[in-house]
Amino acid sequence: INPMPATINRLWLAAEAGGGNLTMDEAEALFVNCAELKMKRTAFHRLFHCVDEQQQGYVDREGFEALFHLMMKNQTTNWLWRKYAGSADAPNMTPEQFKRFLSEEQGEQVSKEEAKMRM
């Protein structure tokens, strides 16, 4: 089962996109707050501008989906996944791996149970 379409749909619905579009700031907040995907602001802006081809300052559902996939394919994200999941092909992290990720990358100290609940 590929969880990507369901994740994209969940995020899009969480955005309650007014008029069917998301601005760069709205998209960034959505990824940080709902998907807990964090990256440097400049890196996010570069990715956003890749999908906002006409530089309108917003993306529609299709652009949002493209942005999501760009973020997931981003080298930093892939590197972090390999570092904590053990392999680029690993389908998910164990609670212990996710706990380590939260501690080392996000500066969050959580129990194994808390990490498991947040997965």
Side-chain angles (χ1 to χ4, degrees):
I1 297 174
N2 181 355
M4 293 296 185
T7 301
I8 292 166
N9 203 35
R10 177 181 59 85
L11 289 171
W12 184 254
L13 292 173
E16 298 178 4
N21 298 312
L22 282 177
T23 66
M24 184 167 29
D25 289 339
E26 290 169 337
E28 184 176 25
L30 182 66
F31 283 118
V32 169
N33 297 329
C34 295
E36 296 185 18
L37 294 172
K38 297 179 184 177
M39 66 173 34
K40 289 184 178 180
R41 190 173 184 92
T42 55
F44 180 81
H45 287 194
R46 259 193 316 272
L47 294 178
F48 188 89
H49 289 299
C50 286
V51 298
D52 181 17
E53 295 171 353
Q54 299 191 9
Q55 303 305 302
Q56 300 174 77
Y58 61 85
V59 293
D60 59 10
R61 172 71 161 78
E62 185 178 322
F64 177 76
E65 187 169 342
L67 179 60
F68 178 87
H69 287 292
L70 276 177
M71 288 186 68
M72 296 308 293
K73 291 180 181 179
N74 181 279
Q75 289 181 351
T76 302
T77 304
N78 288 336
W79 177 82
L80 286 170
W81 186 261
R82 286 190 305 273
K83 179 178 178 181
Y84 293 100
S87 163
D89 298 325
N92 49 28
M93 289 186 200
T94 65
E96 293 86 4
Q97 292 167 327
F98 188 54
K99 179 181 183 290
R100 184 173 153 238
F101 165 78
L102 289 172
S103 174
E104 293 178 14
E105 300 298 331
Q106 307 295 319
E108 296 181 41
Q109 303 304 316
V110 299
S111 67
K112 179 180 163 184
E113 292 76 27
E114 169 80 13
K116 186 175 181 177
M117 287 177 24
R118 293 175 60 180
M119 293 178 72

